[in-house]
């Protein structure tokens, strides 16, 4: 039986060149490709013709992101360890900060004033209560107070930002 099926299959095959019949792309696939091409073209057209106001807001976002980067020289200060003003308990604060400065000239001023800065910061920190050190709002207030003290010593506009590197209360 299997011998008879083979010749019948051979008779049904086209004579001459042995080519497989060409596969035709179904109509839904072609339609999807045409729709995709049209939608892509429309999207590119819209992006290239954005209004100027939209482009300006994108530029503002890029400028805003750039200001979060460190752009000036950074000067680390030695760690500050103080007892908190909590009678009856032995609580302390360990604080390490770095100062981002405007330029190299400001770095020279900070280096000359490190001892005065350290003295003022230690006096301020040792007067804090435990409640003055807890929470983000308290840290922001502490940062603002310390920045004002440092600016009073070295001059306004010399320190751009202050970074807390270590903030431990025990």
């Amino acid at each position: 039986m299997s011998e008879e099926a083979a010749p019948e299959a051979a008779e049904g095959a086209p004579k001459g060149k042995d080519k497989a019949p060409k596969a035709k792309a179904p109509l839904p696939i072609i339609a999807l490709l045409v729709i995709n091409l049209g939608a892509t073209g429309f999207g590119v057209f819209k992006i290239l013709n954005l209004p100027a106001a939209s482009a300006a807001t994108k530029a503002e976002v890029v400028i805003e992101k750039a200001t979060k980067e460190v752009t000036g020289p950074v000067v680390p200060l030695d760690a500050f360890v103080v007892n908190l003003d909590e009678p009856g308990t032995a609580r302390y604060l360990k604080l390490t900060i770095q100062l981002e400065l405007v330029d190299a000239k400001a770095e020279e001023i900070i280096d000359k004033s490190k001892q005065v800065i350290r003295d003022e910061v230690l006096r301020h920190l040792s007067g804090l209560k435990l409640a003055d050190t807890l929470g983000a709002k308290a840290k922001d207030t502490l940062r603002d107070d310390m920045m004002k003290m440092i600016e009073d010593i070295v001059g306004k506009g010399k320190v751009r930002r202050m970074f807390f590197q270590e903030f431990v209360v025990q």
Side-chain angles (χ1 to χ4, degrees):
M1 286 187 141
S2 63
E3 293 174 9
E4 293 177 10
E8 290 174 11
E11 288 177 12
K15 292 187 181 180
K17 296 181 182 176
D18 291 335
K19 286 188 177 178
K22 292 184 180 178
K24 294 183 180 178
L27 186 62
I29 292 176
I30 293 173
L32 286 175
L33 288 174
V34 169
I35 291 172
N36 188 358
L37 181 64
T40 303
F42 179 74
V44 169
F45 174 77
K46 285 300 223 177
I47 289 173
L48 291 177
N49 293 318
L50 283 175
S54 169
T57 43
K58 286 185 180 180
E60 291 170 4
V61 170
V62 171
I63 290 170
E64 183 178 318
K65 286 182 182 177
T67 60
K68 296 206 182 250
E69 295 177 6
V70 175
T71 57
V74 176
V75 175
L77 298 179
D78 293 335
F80 298 95
V81 180
V82 296
N83 291 322
L84 293 176
D85 189 15
E86 291 288 328
T89 62
R91 295 225 180 237
Y92 73 90
L93 167 68
K94 181 178 182 183
L95 178 68
T96 306
I97 60 173
Q98 292 182 341
L99 303 174
E100 179 189 359
L101 308 177
V102 185
D103 55 17
K105 289 181 183 178
E107 188 172 2
E108 293 172 12
I109 295 170
I110 293 289
D111 284 339
K112 289 179 183 176
S113 305
K114 273 189 177 179
Q115 296 304 319
V116 177
I117 292 170
R118 185 163 185 78
D119 180 60
E120 288 294 318
V121 170
L122 281 171
R123 278 201 267 158
H124 179 71
L125 293 176
S126 61
L128 295 177
K129 303 263 185 213
L130 178 63
D132 298 331
T133 62
L134 301 177
K137 197 177 246 186
K139 287 177 181 66
D140 289 340
T141 303
L142 180 60
R143 177 182 283 123
D144 293 342
D145 292 346
M146 290 173 58
M147 284 287 290
K148 185 179 178 324
M149 282 188 302
I150 293 170
E151 283 181 342
D152 288 344
I153 295 168
V154 299
K156 282 204 178 278
K158 305 286 189 224
V159 180
R160 183 173 288 141
R161 288 185 291 184
M162 176 188 298
F163 304 110
F164 287 133
Q165 297 300 303
E166 188 175 30
F167 197 102
V168 180
V169 179
Q170 188 172 353

